[in-house]
Amino acid sequence: MSRIYSLAYLTSNTCTPPQAVRLAAELGYAFVGLRLLPNAAGAPQQFLIGQPEVLRETVAAQRDTGVGIFDLEIIRIAEGFDARSYLPLLEAGAALKAKAVLVAGDDTDEARLTDGYARLCELMQPYGLTADLEFMPWTAVPDANAALRIINTAGRPANAGILVDALHFDRSSTTLDDIRAIPRELLHYAQICDAPTRAQRGSDFTGEEMIHAARCERLLPGEGGIDLKGLFDALPQDLPVSVEVVHLERMAQLGQTEWARQCLAVSRAFLEPQA
């Protein structure tokens, strides 16, 4: 089965939004992901919110190429979360006809985190965006079971979702049975990459090591030890795949275009070996 691929922000992080769209079109990706808000104060991002010319250029690139915007990053739900402060991101998402927003859970009070997530989903509904809660082992949503519990307790809003990242699947306590237990309607896309595993290393990873790998040093599918075959067999076969393979050193050596080309080619060969 031919799959749909999206060029994730981390795989194209030297590009502006319109550049990312045109690069995706050149290489054969159907969508791109954009990071319009940083994942931490002062961290890298792409600038579009509040910049109407960049928005116009991005929409024009979409129109010219047929490449869509799949997901936007990032909303973090922490103590004191105010969903309405993210309205500029949601408005940009509607203008770009994006499909999903990546959501991270940082509030260690799960009841409060659940309430914040429910309020966010309600706020997002008029914008046509899903709120895809990504489990990450160093956050307050450390595994797939926690993500599903939060969404169920929130009343399973119509636009709720769970984002499965291959790296976080492997480095959390999540099992393949946990992945199979996620209701189909909560799965909108998944992220692929590879990395060394605990078994290969012979010890657990620290939180700092997991964060570094996630943001700076992922491997191409087949280069590490993650059970990608098992994972993607457990996920729906028609699920869009976000190619999120950041390796800052190799990207600098190869250049943005060649790196993004290799990421798509290797991911496609791994997931569609007969194609």
Side-chain angles (χ1 to χ4, degrees):
M1 173 184 292
S2 179
R3 290 182 179 262
I4 294 171
Y5 296 91
S6 180
L7 176 62
Y9 161 74
L10 282 176
T11 312
S12 58
N13 59 25
T14 67
C15 294
T16 65
Q19 287 172 344
V21 170
R22 295 191 184 278
L23 177 62
E26 176 186 346
L27 300 180
Y29 293 89
F31 291 92
V32 300
L34 301 176
R35 180 172 288 176
L36 301 186
L37 292 175
N39 62 1
Q45 67 174 98
Q46 293 162 310
F47 294 93
L48 179 146
I49 295 172
Q51 299 192 15
E53 182 58 33
V54 179
L55 175 60
R56 284 194 293 271
E57 290 177 7
T58 306
V59 171
Q62 291 179 264
R63 183 178 60 248
D64 293 345
T65 63
V67 169
I69 309 300
F70 202 99
D71 61 308
L72 300 180
E73 301 182 33
I74 181 176
I75 292 177
R76 305 199 78 105
I77 302 177
E79 184 178 354
F81 176 68
D82 177 9
R84 294 189 63 82
S85 69
Y86 289 93
L87 281 172
L89 177 68
L90 305 183
E91 290 164 359
L96 295 166
K97 298 182 179 178
K99 297 180 179 295
V101 175
L102 192 158
V103 180
D106 295 328
D107 194 337
T108 55
D109 182 325
E110 188 168 299
R112 192 169 55 204
L113 170 57
T114 301
D115 179 66
Y117 180 77
R119 286 186 283 110
L120 175 64
C121 287
E122 182 178 7
L123 182 67
M124 289 175 62
Q125 282 186 349
Y127 296 91
L129 296 160
T130 59
D132 290 76
L133 185 60
E134 182 175 19
F135 61 89
M136 295 175 264
W138 63 87
T139 68
V141 189
D143 53 41
N145 286 334
L148 184 57
R149 182 175 64 249
I150 288 166
I151 287 172
N152 284 337
T153 306
R156 199 181 291 184
N159 58 342
I162 293 176
L163 175 57
V164 178
D165 180 321
L167 182 65
H168 306 326
F169 156 74
D170 179 74
R171 296 192 174 181
S172 71
S173 60
T174 304
T175 67
L176 290 175
D177 283 340
D178 296 334
I179 297 297
R180 296 185 191 100
I182 300 173
R184 176 63 181 89
E185 63 268 22
L186 295 179
L187 293 168
H188 305 120
Y189 68 118
Q191 295 173 327
I192 192 170
C193 71
D194 210 338
T197 64
R198 288 185 294 264
Q200 290 175 316
R201 170 186 164 117
S203 63
D204 288 337
F205 296 94
T206 66
E208 290 76 12
E209 288 171 333
M210 289 191 285
I211 292 171
H212 175 78
R215 297 177 180 176
C216 306
E217 203 170 25
R218 298 176 182 231
L219 300 179
L220 294 167
E223 291 184 340
I226 297 176
D227 182 12
L228 293 176
K229 183 180 187 309
L231 175 61
F232 281 88
D233 283 349
L235 289 166
Q237 296 302 293
D238 60 347
L239 196 66
V241 177
S242 174
V243 180
E244 188 176 58
V245 192
V246 58
H247 194 295
L248 297 181
E249 182 178 346
R250 292 165 72 176
M251 292 168 75
Q253 292 171 347
L254 291 172
Q256 178 64 88
T257 298
E258 181 56 28
W259 178 251
R261 187 192 313 277
Q262 288 190 19
C263 290
L264 178 58
V266 174
S267 297
R268 179 174 278 152
F270 190 92
L271 293 174
E272 305 175 59
Q274 306 306 318

